[in-house]
Amino acid sequence: MTFVYAATIAILAGAGIYMILAQNVVRIVMGVALLAASANVLIFLSGRLGSVSPPIIPEGTDVLAQTAANPLPQALVLTAIVIGFALTAFGVALVYKAYRSLGTLDASAMHDAEDMGSPFTPSQAKQ
């Protein structure tokens, strides 16, 4: 069963990286979302799926029971979900603004900043 989980994570990560390498910026944003999802699944699966009891320390002891779920990967996944959603939302807003101002979704055609020249050339340096 571990092989199935590893293969699923590898497929998600591979598809995400493949989409990040595309020229279309919408595919790039979706690739980042897929890569974030694969990282979330990896972190979640590192916390053991076979746990049968909640992560509560029993009265009179100082440690969790052996069968208790590990709360750290759960907290990390919740944080990663929020960060991944915020990154995806920012990327979508950035793609929308770029499309409205440039009129294209092709990353190789988005070169307006390059056409302005380098800010480090002596002719454009402010005195």
Side-chain angles (χ1 to χ4, degrees), residues 90-105:
F90 177 73
V92 168
L94 191 63
V95 166
Y96 178 71
K97 182 67 175 174
Y99 179 71
R100 293 281 307 238
S101 65
L102 300 174
T104 184
L105 292 175

Side-chain angles (χ1 to χ4, degrees), residues 107-125:
S108 62
M110 296 181 178
H111 50 76
D112 285 354
E114 294 170 1
D115 293 341
M116 293 174 60
S118 173
F120 301 110
T121 57
S123 64
Q124 294 180 356

Side-chain angles (χ1 to χ4, degrees), residues 1 11 17 20 31 34 39 46-48 51 65 71 75 88 99-100 105:
M1 197 64 174
I11 289 170
I17 291 172
I20 287 173
L34 267 178
S46 70
R48 216 176 25 176
S51 302
T88 303
Y99 179 71
R100 293 281 307 238
L105 292 175

Side-chain angles (χ1 to χ4, degrees), residues 16-87:
I17 291 172
Y18 178 76
M19 290 179 77
I20 287 173
L21 296 175
Q23 291 293 320
N24 191 334
V25 291
V26 174
R27 287 186 181 174
I28 293 171
V29 170
M30 295 307 293
V32 168
L34 267 178
L35 199 58
S38 70
N40 291 343
V41 172
L42 178 67
I43 294 170
F44 184 70
L45 290 176
S46 70
R48 216 176 25 176
L49 289 179
S51 302
V52 293
S53 62
I56 299 173
I57 298 175
E59 192 173 332
T61 62
D62 293 336
V63 295
L64 286 172
Q66 289 293 333
T67 59
N70 190 355
L72 182 62
Q74 295 173 9
L76 289 175
V77 167
L78 286 175
T79 305
I81 288 170
V82 172
I83 292 170
F85 179 73
L87 180 66

